[in-house]
């Protein structure tokens, strides 16, 4: 597919500060973390402000959240790729159909847009993440422009699945206990 | 035509809101007393549909909401229901008796510890928080303990002195059998130890939906929720038809389950509804979506007065050209469109009065 990317973009592993650094940007990320694109995991370990000011358009403060910060990848030999997201969604798989799956996606770039039901091919997901593609699994879907170490530019599309923890016996027990206590308090049992 | 007119004290109003995926029904029970059944939110609005509308009518109407009822916990019926309950400080909360069981409460508590959003379960979790807050504030227990809806249970009755007509809300479902079936399905949704955390996206069980008969004076509305027609004794519409509660047929019908064929039971039209009732349906946008053209044809053969809150196909948002180019070959559907509103007003005391049906924001007569 056209969106073939360096493996580290596609692994679905949480992005670490030593691998991905947020570019300096003139755009203040002045909204709460929950409203930022790449929140809930993808921003982990990344700073919230910085300064690559010449390259990003100036926008009024209230539109800050519409401009996702660029993501920089530095590989083992020090080559730098920059991904400038233009559009991001958070998706939840609702149905798996053999070689494809349907997901409900929520627009993180412009939250006033309607959610959409979108069909993805399984090949769009990295091999390591394919086992995660099950109803209820969540992922980030990004369309952006990538600048390679050789400074060539291409449009890319990334589907990056979230790896959430497993349910533990203790969390299930805790929930059962909370449910019992709610029933006692509210339902006069 | 303006929406912002308050109904007369003796006017029965049934307002059905639907943005293409989701629905909310607001009913004026007379004397500025209201109930809200299910909830939805129009994208970009600060408040759920019913709250937005009542704010247009004036603050006093918000104080008049006596009941918030969730027919079931699917995301298209429960979006913004907790925010509505916060606004309606005098309202009791009611839901299917299947949802008061330990299994469902455990599921809610687990989901609240994990991924939230678009599941319906987290809205229910917020409801439980509101009820706990009310308990802590010392609010009377009638507004703390939910009203559990089960077949043939009267949920609300208004007959105070000074009223010139009675108002009654009766649950016609779920039956005991369907509650049991629903609990089995809820048990299957329970996460197991060592299972990866995920959102709950499975859509059963519609059979535990709460169907309501609302009687205001001589006017009656049958609200079909998402109840399906399995054809089995003791379940779905068959269980209701075998009950003795529907003595008088209703003149207004909120069509069950977005007009799907698996919710259509001819005997409902014959026995529970007047000839040519005012029928309102809300669409459900998905890959195929509901209602399909044949559903509309079938429903139009049942009544000459069929209305729909919104078009089945909503417009996809426009994005910048690079993004649009990437998206052009991808199969996708917008889930929500404009929030349409069908409003029926009808005097509950004047026997000669005719109903007035008003359509707002893209709602249409089919």
């Amino acid at each position: 597919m056209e969106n073939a990317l360096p493996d580290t973009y596609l692994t679905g592993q949480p992005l670490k500060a030593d691998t991905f650094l947020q570019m300096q940007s003139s755009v203040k990320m002045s909204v709460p973390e929950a409203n930022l694109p790449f929140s809930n995991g993808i921003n982990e370990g990344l700073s919230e402000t910085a300064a690559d000011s010449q390259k990003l358009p100036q926008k009024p403060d209230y539109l800050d959240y519409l401009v996702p910060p660029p993501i920089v990848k530095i590989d083992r030999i020090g080559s730098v790729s920059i991904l400038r997201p233009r559009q991001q969604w958070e998706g939840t798989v609702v149905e798996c159909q053999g070689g494809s799956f349907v997901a409900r996606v929520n627009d993180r770039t412009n939250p006033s847009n309607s959610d959409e039901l979108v069909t993805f091919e399984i090949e769009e997901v990295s091999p390591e993440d394919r086992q995660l593609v099950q109803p209820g699994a969540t992922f980030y879907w990004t369309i952006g422009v990538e600048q390679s170490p050789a400074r060539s530019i291409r449009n890319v599309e990334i589907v990056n699945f979230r790896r959430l923890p497993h349910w533990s016996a203790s969390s299930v027990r805790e929930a059962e206990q909370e449910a019992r206590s709610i029933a006692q308090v509210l339902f006069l049992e | 035509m303006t929406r912002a007119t308050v109904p007369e004290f003796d006017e029965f109003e049934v307002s059905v809101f639907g943005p293409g995926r989701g629905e909310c029904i607001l009913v004026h029970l007379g004397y500025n007393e209201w109930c809200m059944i299910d909830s939805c939110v129009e994208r970009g609005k600060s408040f759920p549909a019913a709250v937005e509308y009542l704010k247009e009518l004036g603050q006093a109407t918000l104080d008049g909401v006596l009941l918030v009822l969730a027919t079931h916990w699917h995301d298209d019926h429960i979006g913004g229901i907790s925010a509505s309950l916060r606004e309606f400080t005098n309202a009791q909360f009611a839901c299917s008796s299947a949802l008061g069981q330990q299994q469902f409460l455990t599921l809610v508590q687990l989901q609240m510890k994990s991924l939230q959003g678009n599941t319906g379960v987290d809205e229910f979790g917020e409801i439980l928080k509101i009820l706990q807050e009310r308990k802590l504030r010392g609010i009377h227990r009638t507004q703390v303990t939910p009203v559990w809806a089960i077949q043939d249970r009267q949920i609300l009755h208004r007959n105070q002195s000074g009223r010139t007509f009675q108002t009654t809300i009766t649950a016609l479902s779920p039956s005991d059998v369907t509650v049991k079936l629903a609990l089995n399905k809820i048990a299957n949704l329970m996460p197991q130890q060592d299972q990866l955390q995920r959102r709950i996206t499975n859509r059963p069980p519609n059979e535990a939906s709460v169907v309501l008969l609302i009687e205001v004076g001589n006017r009656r509305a049958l609200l079909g929720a998402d109840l399906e027609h399995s054809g089995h004794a003791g379940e779905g519409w068959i269980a209701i038809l075998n009950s003795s509660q529907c003595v008088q047929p209703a003149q207004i019908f909120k069509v069950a389950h977005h007009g799907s064929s698996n919710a259509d039971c001819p005997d409902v039209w014959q026995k529970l509804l007047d000839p040519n009732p005012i029928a309102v349906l809300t669409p459900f946008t998905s890959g195929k979506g509901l209602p399909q053209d044949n559903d509309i044809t079938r429903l139009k053969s049942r009544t000459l007065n069929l209305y729909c809150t919104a078009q089945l196909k909503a417009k996809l948002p426009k994005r910048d050209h690079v993004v649009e180019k990437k998206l052009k070959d991808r199969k996708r559907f917008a889930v929500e469109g404009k929030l349409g509103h069908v409003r029926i007003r009808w005097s509950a005391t004047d026997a000669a009065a005719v109903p007035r049906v008003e359509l707002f924001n893209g709602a249409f007569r089919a």
Side-chain angles (χ1 to χ4, degrees):
Chain A
M1 288 199 59
E2 190 194 350
N3 67 353
L5 279 172
D7 280 345
T8 40
Y9 276 140
L10 298 171
T11 58
Q13 301 293 341
L15 307 181
K16 297 289 190 320
D18 58 352
T19 311
F20 289 90
L21 303 172
Q22 189 165 8
M23 282 295 284
Q24 299 269 317
S25 155
S26 62
V27 179
K28 279 190 300 177
M29 305 308 287
S30 57
V31 291
E33 210 271 343
N35 291 337
L36 289 172
F38 285 152
S39 64
N40 292 333
I42 290 194
N43 273 339
E44 270 174 20
L46 301 179
S47 64
E48 282 197 1
T49 55
D52 182 25
S53 36
Q54 294 82 359
K55 292 175 184 163
L56 285 169
Q58 296 291 327
K59 279 182 181 286
D61 275 356
Y62 67 89
L63 285 178
D64 284 353
Y65 69 89
L66 298 177
V67 184
I71 296 170
V72 178
K73 181 203 160 217
I74 304 170
D75 70 14
R76 286 186 200 129
I77 57 167
S79 304
V80 176
S81 305
I82 302 170
L83 171 66
R84 293 179 188 283
R86 298 181 79 110
Q87 173 67 45
Q88 292 165 326
W89 295 265
E90 187 196 25
T92 303
V93 178
V94 292
E95 197 183 344
C96 297
Q97 312 162 323
S100 63
F101 63 95
V102 178
R104 179 171 176 157
V105 300
N106 176 259
D107 192 326
R108 308 292 301 259
T109 307
N110 185 355
S112 66
N113 280 339
S114 164
D115 285 3
E116 292 172 42
L117 287 170
V118 181
T119 303
F120 294 85
E121 298 303 317
I122 198 77
E123 286 82 13
E124 295 177 71
V125 181
S126 69
E128 296 90 336
D129 280 3
R130 285 179 196 168
Q131 54 169 343
L132 301 174
V133 182
Q134 288 183 40
T138 58
F139 62 91
Y140 294 98
W141 176 29
T142 306
I143 292 176
V145 178
E146 188 196 50
Q147 182 183 301
S148 73
R151 293 193 164 267
S152 63
I153 300 286
R154 60 181 180 153
N155 294 328
V156 294
E157 207 173 330
I158 303 167
V159 176
N160 206 330
F161 269 76
R162 292 175 70 181
R163 287 174 185 270
L164 291 163
H166 294 82
W167 286 113
S168 65
S170 62
S171 55
V172 175
R173 267 198 311 275
E174 213 174 282
E176 283 168 350
Q177 215 158 19
E178 285 165 2
R180 264 193 298 276
S181 109
I182 287 170
Q184 277 165 3
V185 172
L186 297 184
F187 311 160
L188 312 174
E189 285 180 355
Chain B
M1 185 166 53
T2 173
R3 286 206 314 177
T5 53
V6 181
E8 298 294 329
F9 79 96
D10 64 344
E11 218 167 14
F12 181 37
E13 171 177 332
V14 178
S15 268
V16 184
F17 305 90
R21 182 157 169 150
E23 68 181 52
C24 171
I25 302 154
L26 189 67
V27 182
H28 181 236
L29 306 167
Y31 296 90
N32 189 37
E33 293 180 335
W34 300 78
C35 72
M36 184 186 88
I37 295 104
D38 290 338
S39 178
C40 60
V41 187
E42 184 171 18
R43 181 71 58 164
K45 294 280 183 181
S46 311
F47 295 100
V51 179
E52 289 274 350
Y53 173 58
L54 290 179
K55 279 180 182 282
E56 282 178 38
L57 299 190
Q59 182 64 35
T61 56
L62 274 79
D63 299 334
V65 180
L66 304 179
L67 183 76
V68 167
L69 187 143
T71 60
H72 58 306
W73 54 274
H74 289 164
D75 62 324
D76 58 319
H77 287 256
I78 204 170
I81 200 164
S82 58
S84 303
L85 190 65
R86 272 197 197 284
E87 295 291 324
F88 305 147
T89 51
N90 297 323
Q92 281 187 295
F93 177 69
C95 63
S96 166
S97 62
L99 306 187
Q101 306 300 315
Q102 173 77 19
Q103 268 170 336
F104 183 70
L105 296 176
T106 305
L107 187 67
V108 170
Q109 292 311 307
L110 270 174
Q111 195 66 34
M112 295 296 278
K113 293 175 193 297
S114 180
L115 285 169
Q116 296 186 26
N118 289 334
T119 66
V121 181
D122 43 349
E123 277 286 349
F124 203 87
E126 287 301 317
I127 292 279
L128 293 175
K129 279 189 196 166
I130 293 170
L131 299 179
Q132 284 171 300
E133 286 164 22
R134 286 180 174 184
K135 170 96 177 176
L136 287 173
R137 293 209 309 273
I139 291 173
H140 193 268
R141 67 170 180 241
T142 52
Q143 284 178 26
V144 172
T145 303
V147 178
W148 303 115
I150 186 97
Q151 184 167 27
D152 296 343
R153 179 168 187 192
Q154 199 172 83
I155 305 289
L156 186 139
H157 181 67
R158 308 296 282 172
N159 188 25
Q160 311 96 313
S161 61
R163 270 186 91 106
T164 54
F165 54 91
Q166 288 189 32
T167 289
T168 306
I169 301 179
T170 309
L172 304 185
S173 71
S175 65
D176 290 331
V177 173
T178 51
V179 167
K180 179 71 185 146
L181 287 170
L183 288 175
N184 289 343
K185 289 187 178 172
I186 288 169
N188 290 336
L189 296 178
M190 279 295 290
Q192 301 301 308
Q193 183 186 337
D194 295 331
Q195 189 182 319
L196 276 176
Q197 291 185 22
R198 291 194 282 267
R199 284 205 171 101
I200 296 169
T201 53
N202 290 345
R203 298 199 56 80
N206 278 330
E207 62 262 61
S209 285
V210 181
V211 170
L212 296 171
L213 177 67
I214 302 185
E215 298 167 276
V216 177
N218 293 323
R219 312 299 177 205
R220 288 169 300 280
L222 177 65
L223 308 181
D226 270 3
L227 193 70
E228 296 182 32
H229 178 46
S230 67
H232 301 136
E235 295 176 27
W237 286 104
I238 298 282
I240 292 179
L241 286 158
N242 290 336
S243 136
S244 58
Q245 290 298 311
C246 292
V247 179
Q248 301 266 14
Q251 304 105 342
I252 297 170
F253 183 37
K254 201 295 288 180
V255 178
H257 197 226
H258 319 285
S260 75
S261 57
N262 60 3
D264 186 59
C265 174
D267 278 355
V268 169
W269 297 84
Q270 297 285 329
K271 297 177 179 170
L272 305 184
L273 297 167
D274 264 0
N276 288 315
I278 298 169
V280 184
L281 66 85
T282 55
F284 178 82
T285 313
S286 65
K288 203 172 167 201
L290 290 170
Q292 290 292 296
D293 290 345
N294 55 349
D295 296 321
I296 296 279
T297 307
R298 188 189 65 249
L299 290 166
K300 282 172 79 170
S301 74
R302 307 248 195 256
T303 179
L304 299 172
N305 302 303
L306 180 65
Y307 298 88
C308 193
T309 55
Q311 297 288 347
L312 178 58
K313 287 200 173 132
K315 278 186 187 164
L316 284 163
K318 285 274 174 227
R319 300 187 171 91
D320 84 45
H321 67 284
V322 174
V323 177
E324 286 292 336
K325 203 171 159 190
K326 274 278 178 199
L327 293 174
K328 78 174 169 20
D329 295 327
R330 203 177 269 285
K331 193 175 167 191
R332 59 200 187 101
F333 305 90
V335 168
E336 307 135 311
K338 278 200 301 186
L339 183 113
H341 176 188
V342 177
R343 180 166 78 182
I344 303 147
R345 283 184 173 175
W346 201 353
S347 169
T349 51
D350 179 0
V354 291
R356 197 166 75 248
V357 181
E358 296 164 292
L359 306 172
F360 303 99
N361 206 22
F364 63 97
R365 184 172 188 156

